[in-house]
Amino acid sequence: MAALTIPAPSSPYARLLGVGAYRPERVVPNSELVEAIDSSDEWIQQRSGIVSRRFAGPDETVRSMSVAAAAQALEAAGVEAEQIDCVIVATVSHLMQLPAVATLVAHDLGTNKAAAFDISAACAGFCHGVTLASDMIRGGSAGHVLVIGVEKLTDLTSPTDRGTAFIFADGAGAVVVGPSDTPAIGPVVWGSDGEHYDYIRQNIDWGTVLRTAAETGEVPPMPHMTMEGSSVFRWAAFEMAKVAQQALDRAGITVDDLDVFIPHQANMRITDAMARTMKLPSSVRIARDIAEQGNTSAASIPLALERMIADGEARSGDTALLIAFGAGLAYAAQVVTVP
Ligand SMILES: CC(C)(COP(=O)(O)OP(=O)(O)OC[C@H]1O[C@@H](n2cnc3c(N)ncnc32)[C@H](O)[C@@H]1OP(=O)(O)O)[C@@H](O)C(=O)NCCC(=O)NCCS
């Protein structure tokens, strides 16, 4: 048997080097949505914490939003596109089944034919991507990796669905992950619960849509997301606090060592419930980007991180706990150092 040559990894650790964001132009207040779902601004704010969100226009695509967020992350990191060895795009709303949008994004950015692929882990996608990036760098498969979380969920949301129309929104966030001499991305705690695959899902698969159209001559309505809101709420608020605590334990720190808490921006009440269950000290600054951004699934954590850095709420060197969870069910959490 031939002995393989495997070079030693060039970096013992990885870190986030820069963050970027793209928020679509159009701001949509609750008042624009309430009529179609027989709701009110007050109800939406009380139940979800959402005041407004951004909806992408026809020219703001998964591709263009990814490129804009990634370009900003590269600039913030001081890294050139040619230095990127891999582009990971976390999304569930790139409506082209194949190929991955990541190859287009890598090309648009001017990488040197970087490896590029999409991952489908819904709202947990960004934290999955950060884990993959960190392990690639530590394992020697890549020097610098771009991780992008992007969604155009308006394409998959029915404006008349009372349980989802006011929650989901559009946007993109990105980070550059690169080598580090010191630990700056903690061990991941991740997993899935396929028993509850149905909690959040597309109401009908594309194959059925096309076959129905072919057989009946009528094109069915665009597929949209459905959600068992209260089941998701209970799972997220209680089970995910345990996962967040495990991520702290695995990183060898406690809530007292935390500066920043950035949970997936699913619902302000879920964030509050998690913070209470984890007994976060009042000194921990908590991401509340959902108020103005809605739930942008894979984009929500990098968008919230970018906002907290811009507002001075997260400072370079701070210790931040990230936890993402959603459809699948899928989840991932890790502690990171703010770039
Ligand atoms: C969606 C969500 C806000 C709904 O809140 P809820 O308190 O669970 O609402 P319920 O479905 O139990 O309905 C409670 C009441 O509000 C009403 N209601 C439901 N949707 C409504 C809406 N959009 N506007 C006004 N009233 C509404 C219901 O009819 C019900 O009325 P009733 O008590 O008279 O029967 C909540 O379940 C939630 O946030 N779930 C988690 C969602 C999430 O984070 N998903 C993403 C995970 S990645």
Side-chain angles (χ1 to χ4, degrees):
M1 196 172 71
L4 302 184
T5 303
I6 300 180
S10 55
S11 177
Y13 305 110
R15 65 170 55 243
L16 308 187
L17 297 175
V19 187
Y22 181 83
R23 296 181 172 79
E25 292 290 316
R26 189 170 155 234
V27 177
V28 179
N30 291 336
S31 57
E32 267 194 50
L33 307 179
V34 293
E35 197 182 324
I37 53 172
D38 185 21
S39 189
S40 67
D41 178 35
E42 193 193 1
W43 191 94
I44 294 173
Q45 288 203 37
Q46 231 173 45
R47 296 296 175 111
S48 70
I50 300 170
V51 177
S52 63
R53 75 285 289 142
R54 306 280 183 120
F55 282 178
D59 296 338
E60 294 171 307
T61 62
V62 166
R63 173 185 183 177
S64 74
M65 293 193 290
S66 296
V67 171
Q72 207 184 80
L74 285 168
E75 197 180 329
V79 168
E80 298 296 328
E82 305 91 74
Q83 291 173 260
I84 296 295
D85 297 314
C86 183
V87 176
I88 301 173
V89 176
T91 187
V92 291
S93 46
H94 176 55
L95 298 186
M96 191 76 171
Q97 188 83 37
L98 83 150
V101 72
T103 61
L104 269 180
V105 173
H107 174 74
D108 288 352
L109 287 167
T111 70
N112 187 18
K113 301 194 188 308
F117 57 90
D118 297 353
I119 53 177
S120 175
C123 303
F126 177 76
C127 288
H128 280 66
V130 168
T131 297
L132 296 180
S134 172
D135 287 356
M136 281 178 198
I137 291 162
R138 296 180 61 209
S141 315
H144 292 85
V145 180
L146 252 173
V147 181
I148 301 165
V150 58
E151 301 292 1
K152 190 167 178 177
L153 293 174
T154 43
D155 277 348
L156 287 174
T157 307
S158 162
T160 57
D161 184 309
R162 286 185 107 197
T164 54
F166 64 95
I167 292 184
F168 294 110
D170 306 331
V175 292
V176 176
V177 185
S180 173
D181 293 333
T182 52
I185 297 177
V188 71
V189 176
W190 57 356
S192 67
D193 179 3
E195 189 185 343
H196 299 303
Y197 184 84
D198 279 351
Y199 275 8
I200 312 168
R201 66 181 174 88
Q202 191 170 303
N203 67 328
I204 183 171
D205 69 90
W206 295 103
T208 305
V209 170
L210 295 175
R211 276 190 293 273
T212 306
E215 283 163 18
T216 65
E218 281 178 28
V219 180
M222 182 85 172
H224 64 267
M225 278 185 290
T226 62
M227 179 170 69
E228 293 182 26
S230 45
S231 307
V232 174
F233 189 94
R234 281 194 300 277
W235 169 73
F238 302 109
E239 297 305 314
M240 291 302 101
K242 295 178 203 161
V243 171
Q245 183 59 51
Q246 285 164 17
L248 293 179
D249 297 344
R250 289 209 64 203
I253 65 169
T254 72
V255 285
D256 295 323
D257 301 308
L258 266 189
D259 301 302
V260 181
F261 177 47
I262 311 183
H264 167 46
Q265 301 293 286
N267 181 313
M268 198 77 88
R269 289 192 303 144
I270 293 176
T271 297
D272 289 336
M274 289 176 77
R276 267 196 311 275
T277 309
M278 294 178 70
K279 299 190 171 55
L280 291 187
S282 56
S283 57
V284 176
R285 296 176 295 278
I286 300 176
R288 299 193 178 281
D289 201 35
I290 188 162
E292 289 168 2
Q293 209 63 50
N295 178 337
T296 55
S297 191
S300 89
I301 288 182
L303 279 171
L305 173 60
E306 192 273 345
R307 169 96 61 179
M308 290 184 91
I309 292 171
D311 291 351
E313 282 188 286
R315 294 180 278 269
S316 181
D318 276 356
T319 300
L321 171 61
L322 314 182
I323 175 160
F325 46 84
L329 302 169
Y331 57 88
Q334 68 262 104
V335 175
V336 301
T337 302
V338 174

